[in-house]
């Protein structure tokens, strides 16, 4: 998430749910940290539209490094608009912004509990 306020809020909400969170403002800093880290990453929560690297490119790079990582995309655009413009494929995990505390917590838990195909 490139918006400082939204990112800080999401971090606080997820930490209150008991998750350990690593937060970054853009794709390149995320990947730089991931290349150096030995921490296990269960889920990448990424905005679809970000400066310097969109969420789809970031997710592909993260999965190249850590194939087991699940991905949840968030955006202020509807999933239909994003799919229609080719940013994401139909059927990807998606959370519309603005989201509520309960919606964020529920979607994160749902994606973490989903069966990997």
């Amino acid at each position: 998430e490139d918006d400082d306020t939204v990112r800080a809020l999401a971090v606080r909400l997820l930490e209150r749910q008991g998750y350990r969170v690593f937060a970054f403002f853009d794709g390149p800093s995320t990947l730089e940290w991931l290349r150096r880290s030995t921490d296990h990453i269960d889920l990448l929560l990424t905005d679809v539209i970000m400066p310097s690297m969109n969420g789809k490119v970031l997710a592909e790079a993260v999965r190249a490094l850590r194939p087991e990582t699940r991905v949840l995309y968030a955006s202020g655009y509807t999933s239909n608009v994003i799919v229609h413009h080719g940013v994401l494929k139909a059927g990807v995990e998606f959370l519309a912004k603005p989201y509520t505390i309960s919606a964020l917590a529920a979607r994160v838990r749902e994606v973490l509990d989903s069966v990997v195909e």
Side-chain angles (χ1 to χ4, degrees), residues 8 11 22 49 52 74 116:
V11 167
F22 304 99
I49 308 299
S52 74
V116 177

mmCIF file of all heavy atoms in Angstrom, residues 8 11 22 49 52 74 116:
data_model
loop_
_atom_site.group_PDB
_atom_site.id
_atom_site.type_symbol
_atom_site.label_atom_id
_atom_site.label_comp_id
_atom_site.label_asym_id
_atom_site.label_seq_id
_atom_site.Cartn_x
_atom_site.Cartn_y
_atom_site.Cartn_z
ATOM 1 N N ALA A 8 -0.761 2.220 7.417
ATOM 2 C CA ALA A 8 -0.652 2.191 8.883
ATOM 3 C C ALA A 8 -1.912 1.621 9.519
ATOM 4 O O ALA A 8 -1.835 0.841 10.474
ATOM 5 C CB ALA A 8 -0.372 3.592 9.419
ATOM 6 N N VAL A 11 -2.000 -2.175 8.941
ATOM 7 C CA VAL A 11 -1.029 -2.833 9.824
ATOM 8 C C VAL A 11 -1.608 -2.962 11.223
ATOM 9 O O VAL A 11 -1.576 -4.040 11.827
ATOM 10 C CB VAL A 11 0.315 -2.070 9.847
ATOM 11 C CG1 VAL A 11 1.211 -2.556 10.981
ATOM 12 C CG2 VAL A 11 1.024 -2.208 8.514
ATOM 13 N N PHE A 22 4.650 -7.166 7.993
ATOM 14 C CA PHE A 22 5.774 -6.414 7.440
ATOM 15 C C PHE A 22 5.163 -5.499 6.387
ATOM 16 O O PHE A 22 4.514 -5.981 5.457
ATOM 17 C CB PHE A 22 6.797 -7.350 6.792
ATOM 18 C CG PHE A 22 7.311 -8.405 7.729
ATOM 19 C CD1 PHE A 22 6.792 -9.691 7.692
ATOM 20 C CD2 PHE A 22 8.308 -8.109 8.647
ATOM 21 C CE1 PHE A 22 7.259 -10.667 8.549
ATOM 22 C CE2 PHE A 22 8.793 -9.089 9.509
ATOM 23 C CZ PHE A 22 8.266 -10.368 9.467
ATOM 24 N N ILE A 49 -2.931 -0.888 -7.922
ATOM 25 C CA ILE A 49 -2.295 0.232 -8.596
ATOM 26 C C ILE A 49 -1.348 0.927 -7.625
ATOM 27 O O ILE A 49 -1.778 1.445 -6.592
ATOM 28 C CB ILE A 49 -3.350 1.250 -9.098
ATOM 29 C CG1 ILE A 49 -4.429 0.562 -9.935
ATOM 30 C CG2 ILE A 49 -2.676 2.383 -9.857
ATOM 31 C CD1 ILE A 49 -3.935 -0.120 -11.182
ATOM 32 N N SER A 52 5.616 2.846 -9.555
ATOM 33 C CA SER A 52 6.834 2.096 -9.874
ATOM 34 C C SER A 52 6.625 0.615 -10.150
ATOM 35 O O SER A 52 7.414 0.018 -10.866
ATOM 36 C CB SER A 52 7.932 2.293 -8.824
ATOM 37 O OG SER A 52 7.668 1.591 -7.639
ATOM 38 N N ALA A 74 -5.967 -5.499 -3.225
ATOM 39 C CA ALA A 74 -6.922 -4.489 -2.772
ATOM 40 C C ALA A 74 -6.900 -3.332 -3.759
ATOM 41 O O ALA A 74 -5.855 -3.008 -4.333
ATOM 42 C CB ALA A 74 -6.558 -3.999 -1.378
ATOM 43 N N VAL A 116 -4.965 -24.246 -1.539
ATOM 44 C CA VAL A 116 -4.088 -23.856 -2.638
ATOM 45 C C VAL A 116 -4.203 -24.890 -3.743
ATOM 46 O O VAL A 116 -4.107 -26.084 -3.499
ATOM 47 C CB VAL A 116 -2.620 -23.748 -2.159
ATOM 48 C CG1 VAL A 116 -1.712 -23.402 -3.329
ATOM 49 C CG2 VAL A 116 -2.500 -22.731 -1.064
#
